[in-house]
Amino acid sequence: MKQTSKLRGFMPAAVLALFCAAGLTPLSAQNGGSVTGVIIDQVGKSIPGAGVTVKAEGGSASGNATSDSTGHFSVGNLSAGTYTLEASAPGFALNQRRGVVVPASGAVDISITMNVDAISQSVTVQETIVLAADTAPMGNTLDTTSAKTEITNAVITNFMAPVADFAEVIQQAPGAFSTNPNGIGLGQGKSFFRGFSDGQYTLTFDGIPFEDTNSPTHHSWASFPRQWISSTEFDRSPGQASNFGPTNFGGSINMRSPELQADPDIRGTFTLGSFNTKLYSIDFESGLLGRKKQDAVLFNINAMTSDGYQTFNNQQRDAGYGKFQHRFSDRTSLSLYGGVVDIWNNTPNTTTATRANIAQFGDNFLQTNTPLLPNGTPDPNYYGYNLYHVQTDFEYAGFSSDLGDGWKFETKAYTTRYWNKQFYQNGSTVNLTSAKPSGVDKLNGYRHAGDTVILSKETKWGTLRGGGWYDWAYTDRYQIPSNILTQVDQPFGNFHEKFITQSFQPFAEFEWLAAPRLVVTAGIKSADYNMSLNQYQDAKTVGCLGGALTTYPSTAGIWAGAPQCVGGAAFVSHTINYNNWLPTLTARYRAWRQWSVYGQFAEGSVIPPSNVFDVTGGNVLTPPRPTLAKTYQAGSVLKLNRFTLDTDVYYVHFQNGYSSYTDPATNEPVFVATGPSNTKGFEAEGHYALAYGFSVYANLTLGSAKYQTGPNYLNGGKWVPNTPSNVEGLNVLWQHRNFDMGFTYKRVGQYYNDNGSISQKINGISLPVPVNEAVTIAPWGLANVFMNYTVKNANHFRGTKIQLAINNLANSHSLVGVTPGTAATLTTPYVQSPSDQLNLLPGRSFSLTITGGYAPRR
């Protein structure tokens, strides 16, 4: 009843957060000469048994205390002055709070949030006033400054299929949804949230950004199998200035590798699933090694094969990673990480089938196993005409140290590679002529190398941080027509480019302790990018670069009739620099020990893709500028005994991408914005802990993303594609001792797909304008069921597990995306066509996973 009465003054989160940012005066107790508070972890769970030391600044220890079963502590009999608080607990990193001013007669009430240590101990948290937070599968944290969802390791290991990838990890978070027509984790899926698609948000792994170099899209399914993802922070905001990444304006999906454990164990896993899916995996953890227990290592090796849901879309993946950590002392450590993935499949360039093929052969049709049609000509749908080989690696060396006197230093030097070599049949008809063969030899390859650095100083006023992210990337991309049978390439390709991109993001921010319960953080970041691009002569994109495009003569043998360039430069070079200064401002107020509110303003940017230079002659004298986004957010995080509730409201103004037209005076391509959009909405997620291990987690998103109206925006008022007006998620869980069972359901409201673009006049100039809202996608839902039994605690066989997963329980084949086969016109609206490409939910799938674990005691 006391908790209920304290909430009677609850205000809407948005209003209270704005008051906080304006300097709301905090509450304070008046007990005189003491420091009291609570010790909690990042999700708001109290930490019993934590040691607290209070030291007078410049002097010796003035008092000690141990947090009780609810995480509370109190140190009294203190003289007036400035003190430093130091909290420690097994499995958590040391936390210091400097500049705590204690009056002569009064009390200071402080909440200390502790982070999990790099090498974590096994911590058993008793059922306290934060039972709901302890058992919640997802949720925000009390120390947040933005709309975030922490997706825990328990969710990833117990309520996701073993073959899942990052798209499945975020699937149950507020507003997000993902689709993959070949089945979970069996190819490149697509993920959306808040009206943003891939390329408009950042992905990081252990704090290191990674992305394509021609545009900031991602292929994380090819770099990080589910077994390598321990937890994920899904931040639906630009974050702080200290958050690195090329497209933070849309949000950040921050994946984390497994933490090194203090105790050893070894696990072997076998999964047998639908579509002839088999997964083999070995996990090894050394525990703490050496006489001083300063080292630890873990690794995972896994192999997966699958026929896929779609016909003859076969997959083979071999992968392995290792992680090592050495502690020089309790304050300084070195971490090494390395992972490699090798994937072979037969996925065509078009990953969805046509409406006609699906009507004839069924929902799962994509390819055939017949090289020839009945008339003896090559079958364009034959899977053997599509070869797809992806190789990736990701390595880093991280060093972190508490330098003393409030100084901390962290750096991660890294390198990562993505090398996608593809050969595929292009189109519905096989052409074997040298003049225009229908096969395509394609490469998208790049290597990143870089470093992230953060140096911070804690003072009595707050924490000052500075540092930066530097990334160097080399890219080689080409696309060459080729004979589908002989795989002999045409002499001149459709395009070929090589370029080096250097990204540099220095930042500075100050986290100001404006009052014991109010924290205001202001920061600034410079987003600087330099691109040096070489585009080579080709037959389609930049042309012959001063030469003449002709064809090989009849005497040229197999090349007769194929395009060739006579004369001209071998390549054209471009060098361009993009720069934007991006400010951030956040405020967080701890209105109560288990309730905080926040407000945020931030700016973000994205540079134009490399294909803005893909014009005849590469003649782009005035390339477009980066597009900007401004984000405003406010929210609330509440954690009670059996109930948690996180809410936020958001508004994002995004300039969007570019279209081009040719200036008749200069004959130069000019790039113009397609029209800004405004994204706004409300999000909520909550968890209620029932009795006997039962709990319910649910989330709701209501919003819109529409293009801005105005005289120069012909798409004004139209919906941004793949933006539902509402998205709901529901998890019903039973977690009791060794059993974990869950039912998950995701419902996605109505949204739209576009139909290319058509030329329309704006201010007398013809511009390509997208045809928005061409195709209506009806609401759809997806239900999954998971059942697990796991050996836990200190048993010799901890980690032994049996899991049954059922995905798409209702066997739904809902339409989730359409690429129209008929191009839009000014007078003809979209009508269904046999050549439409349909993206459907993959059918019901089962998987049975058996893990054998052994953990010898020391």
Side-chain angles (χ1 to χ4, degrees):
M1 296 299 294
K2 291 182 179 179
Q3 292 171 346
T4 303
S5 65
K6 289 183 179 179
L7 295 178
R8 290 175 180 168
F10 181 82
M11 301 175 64
V15 177
L16 188 52
L18 294 176
F19 285 172
C20 296
L24 184 65
T25 302
L27 302 174
S28 61
Q30 298 294 328
N31 293 329
S34 65
V35 176
T36 63
V38 63
I39 309 296
I40 58 175
D41 67 9
Q42 289 175 292
V43 297
K45 297 183 295 185
S46 61
I47 302 176
V52 180
T53 301
V54 180
K55 300 179 181 179
E57 294 197 350
S60 58
S62 302
N64 298 280
T66 301
S67 61
D68 61 19
S69 61
T70 64
H72 292 85
F73 71 92
S74 178
V75 178
N77 299 319
L78 299 176
S79 303
T82 303
Y83 292 82
T84 296
L85 269 66
E86 186 175 279
S88 61
F92 295 90
L94 189 71
N95 193 327
Q96 288 184 330
R97 181 71 64 86
R98 296 174 178 272
V100 178
V101 179
V102 178
S105 58
V108 177
D109 191 7
I110 289 181
S111 176
I112 299 178
T113 302
M114 302 190 70
N115 299 321
V116 175
D117 201 357
I119 298 181
S120 64
Q121 305 287 338
S122 298
V123 181
T124 301
V125 179
Q126 298 176 357
E127 183 174 314
T128 64
I129 59 172
V130 285
L131 173 64
D134 187 28
T135 58
M138 289 173 282
N140 209 337
T141 61
L142 286 167
D143 60 353
T144 188
T145 56
S146 62
K148 296 179 184 178
T149 297
E150 290 281 345
I151 303 166
T152 66
N153 178 258
V155 171
I156 295 173
T157 57
N158 293 325
F159 305 118
M160 292 179 191
V163 295
D165 58 18
F166 97 99
E168 189 70 11
V169 169
I170 68 169
Q171 174 83 309
Q172 288 300 318
F177 69 96
S178 303
T179 63
N180 188 340
N182 199 39
I184 294 171
L186 300 178
Q188 181 71 52
K190 296 181 179 179
S191 299
F192 306 91
F193 58 91
R194 286 191 175 184
F196 296 116
S197 59
D198 190 18
Q200 296 175 337
Y201 51 79
T202 290
L203 259 66
T204 71
F205 188 79
D206 281 353
I208 298 170
F210 65 97
E211 73 282 334
D212 267 12
T213 49
N214 57 302
S215 67
T217 52
H218 308 93
H219 305 285
S220 59
W221 73 280
S223 296
F224 305 107
R226 194 215 73 175
Q227 292 77 11
W228 301 6
I229 305 172
S230 174
S231 62
T232 297
E233 179 195 74
F234 181 19
D235 189 348
R236 300 178 299 281
S237 84
Q240 306 276 26
S242 54
N243 296 128
F244 303 126
T247 51
N248 290 17
F249 67 90
S252 297
I253 300 173
N254 304 306
M255 298 177 286
R256 306 184 184 103
S257 65
E259 297 166 348
L260 294 156
Q261 302 296 318
D263 300 317
D265 65 34
I266 183 170
R267 298 177 301 280
T269 299
F270 173 67
T271 296
L272 179 64
S274 300
F275 325 137
N276 197 27
T277 300
K278 299 181 180 68
L279 173 66
Y280 305 86
S281 180
I282 295 176
D283 293 272
F284 172 80
E285 298 188 25
S286 68
L288 296 177
L289 299 173
R291 184 171 55 87
K292 296 183 179 180
K293 308 296 184 185
Q294 292 178 306
D295 300 312
V297 64
L298 65 82
F299 65 79
N300 168 270
I301 300 173
N302 67 79
M304 185 270 290
T305 60
S306 177
D307 292 342
Y309 173 70
Q310 296 171 311
T311 56
F312 303 102
N313 192 359
N314 307 318
Q315 314 282 322
Q316 177 181 325
R317 183 189 70 205
D318 299 299
Y321 90 94
K323 187 175 182 180
F324 167 80
Q325 184 168 28
H326 172 73
R327 282 175 174 264
F328 298 97
S329 67
D330 290 340
R331 297 176 178 269
T332 303
S333 65
L334 171 69
S335 298
L336 302 176
Y337 177 95
V340 295
V341 179
D342 187 79
I343 297 175
W344 292 86
N345 59 31
N346 295 104
T347 304
N349 193 54
T350 301
T351 59
T352 54
T354 65
R355 191 183 298 274
N357 283 335
I358 289 174
Q360 182 178 0
F361 301 110
D363 292 328
N364 68 331
F365 179 82
L366 184 64
Q367 299 173 107
T368 72
N369 65 342
T370 55
L372 301 177
L373 295 171
N375 61 7
T377 61
D379 184 349
N381 293 318
Y382 175 51
Y383 79 93
Y385 297 152
N386 299 287
L387 303 174
Y388 195 113
H389 186 202
V390 179
Q391 296 173 304
T392 70
D393 63 73
F394 192 100
E395 298 86 22
Y396 70 79
F399 177 82
S400 62
S401 181
D402 185 337
L403 304 176
D405 196 29
W407 288 97
K408 293 182 180 179
F409 175 76
E410 181 178 0
T411 182
K412 286 183 179 177
Y414 67 88
T415 181
T416 180
R417 175 179 181 255
Y418 177 82
W419 209 256
N420 179 1
K421 189 68 171 66
Q422 193 174 358
F423 189 91
Y424 59 90
Q425 156 64 22
N426 186 32
S428 59
T429 303
V430 173
N431 193 331
L432 303 176
T433 68
S434 298
K436 193 177 181 181
S438 59
V440 175
D441 182 2
K442 180 180 179 181
L443 172 69
N444 179 22
Y446 50 84
R447 163 70 71 182
H448 288 271
D451 196 9
T452 64
V453 177
I454 298 178
L455 178 66
S456 63
K457 166 66 174 176
E458 294 183 9
T459 71
K460 64 181 180 181
W461 301 283
T463 302
L464 177 66
R465 300 184 188 91
W469 167 47
Y470 173 76
D471 183 88
W472 175 94
Y474 167 78
T475 302
D476 188 0
R477 300 177 66 238
Y478 61 72
Q479 188 183 92
I480 306 171
S482 183
N483 186 295
I484 198 68
L485 297 182
T486 65
Q487 297 190 9
V488 175
D489 290 350
Q490 198 181 74
F492 267 82
N494 294 333
F495 75 84
H496 186 191
E497 63 184 17
K498 297 180 180 180
F499 57 94
I500 293 175
T501 306
Q502 297 185 78
S503 308
F504 185 41
Q505 287 188 3
F507 80 92
E509 72 180 22
F510 184 63
E511 184 179 314
W512 176 40
L513 302 175
R517 297 188 183 186
L518 175 63
V519 178
V520 179
T521 304
I524 188 74
K525 174 166 57 182
S526 174
D528 188 90
Y529 304 90
N530 183 273
M531 180 182 292
S532 297
L533 175 73
N534 289 339
Q535 290 180 292
Y536 292 81
Q537 272 191 345
D538 60 46
K540 184 178 180 180
T541 303
V542 297
C544 291
L545 301 178
L549 180 63
T550 181
T551 58
Y552 281 91
S554 59
T555 57
I558 65 170
W559 305 123
Q564 69 167 331
C565 285
V566 178
F571 58 84
V572 61
S573 298
H574 311 275
T575 300
I576 186 169
N577 191 80
Y578 303 103
N579 180 265
N580 289 102
W581 289 92
L582 306 175
T584 62
L585 177 65
T586 65
R588 181 186 72 247
Y589 180 66
R590 185 66 65 88
W592 181 39
R593 286 173 178 166
Q594 292 161 265
W595 177 34
S596 63
V597 293
Y598 61 86
Q600 179 191 48
F601 166 77
E603 291 188 2
S605 68
V606 57
I607 66 173
S610 63
N611 64 13
V612 299
F613 296 101
D614 290 349
V615 296
T616 302
N619 186 29
V620 181
L621 301 180
T622 309
R625 295 174 296 177
T627 53
L628 299 175
K630 295 185 178 181
T631 299
Y632 305 83
Q633 292 193 98
S636 166
V637 178
L638 176 68
K639 297 188 182 296
L640 302 178
N641 179 19
R642 293 185 176 271
F643 177 68
T644 69
L645 178 63
D646 312 326
T647 60
D648 67 86
V649 292
Y650 60 90
Y651 171 80
V652 184
H653 179 75
F654 179 37
Q655 290 179 340
N656 283 305
Y658 289 89
S659 295
S660 66
Y661 69 94
T662 301
D663 188 329
T666 63
N667 201 34
E668 177 192 345
V670 178
F671 290 85
V672 297
T674 59
S677 64
N678 297 304
T679 300
K680 55 188 176 182
F682 167 81
E683 297 171 329
E685 60 181 329
H687 180 249
Y688 187 76
L690 303 169
Y692 306 108
F694 285 97
S695 65
V696 177
Y697 166 87
N699 59 54
L700 166 69
T701 298
L702 302 173
S704 69
K706 295 182 178 181
Y707 294 102
Q708 184 167 313
T709 57
N712 295 330
Y713 305 130
L714 298 186
N715 58 354
K718 300 288 188 178
W719 281 81
V720 174
N722 299 299
T723 306
S725 59
N726 59 289
V727 181
E728 298 85 32
L730 173 67
N731 291 17
V732 180
L733 310 176
W734 182 58
Q735 300 168 285
H736 180 69
R737 295 182 179 175
N738 301 80
F739 291 93
D740 299 281
M741 298 186 182
F743 169 83
T744 69
Y745 182 74
K746 189 79 173 188
R747 182 188 180 277
V748 181
Q750 178 179 290
Y751 55 93
Y752 301 95
N753 286 172
D754 293 347
N755 185 14
S757 61
I758 54 178
S759 180
Q760 300 188 52
K761 286 190 175 182
I762 299 178
N763 293 336
I765 300 173
S766 294
L767 295 176
V769 177
V771 181
N772 303 105
E773 300 183 8
V775 186
T776 301
I777 307 298
W780 54 271
L782 183 65
N784 303 322
V785 173
F786 304 92
M787 293 173 279
N788 311 279
Y789 177 85
T790 308
V791 176
K792 300 180 180 180
N793 304 322
N795 190 292
H796 279 293
F797 297 97
R798 69 172 179 269
T800 296
K801 179 178 180 180
I802 299 176
Q803 180 188 59
L804 175 65
I806 307 174
N807 289 89
N808 193 358
L809 181 66
N811 197 29
S812 170
H813 299 282
S814 296
L815 179 69
V816 297
V818 175
T819 302
T822 303
T825 69
L826 283 170
T827 58
T828 305
Y830 163 78
V831 293
Q832 290 187 5
S833 166
S835 58
D836 293 342
Q837 294 172 6
L838 306 185
N839 187 353
L840 307 175
L841 286 179
R844 182 191 298 120
S845 63
F846 299 83
S847 67
L848 176 65
T849 301
I850 300 175
T851 299
Y854 180 68
R857 292 193 180 102
R858 292 192 171 188

